[in-house]
Amino acid sequence: MTEHRVFLGVGSNIQRETHIDIALNMLGEHLHDMRCSPVYESASLDGEQPPFFNLVVSASTRLSARELIAWIKEIEELHGRRRGQQTLIALDIDLLLFDDFSGLVEGVRVPRGEILTRAFVLYPLQLLAPQLRHPEFGSSMAQLWQQLRPGPVLAPVRRQFGGEGVMPGKPLLEQHVSLV
């Protein structure tokens, strides 16, 4: 069976510590060689909802992209996620990258567009894999961060999540403002 390298974005804006820990534990059921970025807090995109905790997970899996997306949606739904106008989100798990695939899988665009527009995705992604090339643009994640520096502002969370496999948070090199 083929091993795939994947990157996932994980976020929560209610009972954040609990839900991030749950997500990491559940992801460990089908992912291995998991590495996690530090966790960062950011304002909700509309600025009116509670702030989010976000991180990026790098891992290997034997699941196909279709199977992985279905499993991610199942985890989210088990924790109350409903697509649409929901503002309090226990778990938001997004497939950011799947090997060097580019296209649609089950209506999900891979690579995820938020890589280029959201600091809470791009900054932790470039910490985990600075030399990783974007499948469509060819630039490394570190180069994209230096070029784009998208918003919103991030603040490091000084707590370890998910046990020994998660690196503790470290400070941002500089604060920045949203480009959107």
Side-chain angles (χ1 to χ4, degrees), residues 56-71:
V56 171
V57 175
S58 166
S60 296
T61 187
R62 290 188 178 100
L63 297 177
S64 68
R66 177 170 280 122
E67 292 167 329
L68 182 57
I69 290 168
W71 182 56

Side-chain angles (χ1 to χ4, degrees), residues 25-61:
N25 286 327
M26 291 185 81
L27 289 171
E29 293 175 23
H30 287 288
L31 303 179
H32 52 278
D33 302 324
M34 281 177 56
R35 290 188 31 218
C36 299
S37 75
V39 176
Y40 292 95
E41 182 178 60
S42 65
S44 63
L45 295 177
D46 67 8
E48 296 179 17
Q49 303 306 318
F52 277 82
F53 277 4
N54 291 285
L55 74 148
V56 171
V57 175
S58 166
S60 296
T61 187

Side-chain angles (χ1 to χ4, degrees), residues 8 12 23 32 53-54 58 61 63 68 71 94 116 119 121-122 131 133 142 156 158:
L8 306 173
S12 174
H32 52 278
F53 277 4
N54 291 285
S58 166
T61 187
L63 297 177
L68 182 57
W71 182 56
D94 296 321
L116 304 176
V121 175
L122 182 55
Q131 301 308 314
R133 301 258 171 215
R158 303 217 182 275

Side-chain angles (χ1 to χ4, degrees), residues 160-172:
Q160 183 137 347
F161 290 83
E164 295 178 16
V166 181
M167 299 183 303
K170 54 185 169 182
L172 277 174

Side-chain angles (χ1 to χ4, degrees), residues 123-139:
Y123 186 76
L125 179 57
Q126 67 90 32
L127 287 176
L128 280 178
Q131 301 308 314
L132 179 68
R133 301 258 171 215
H134 190 284
E136 294 176 341
F137 301 108
S139 299

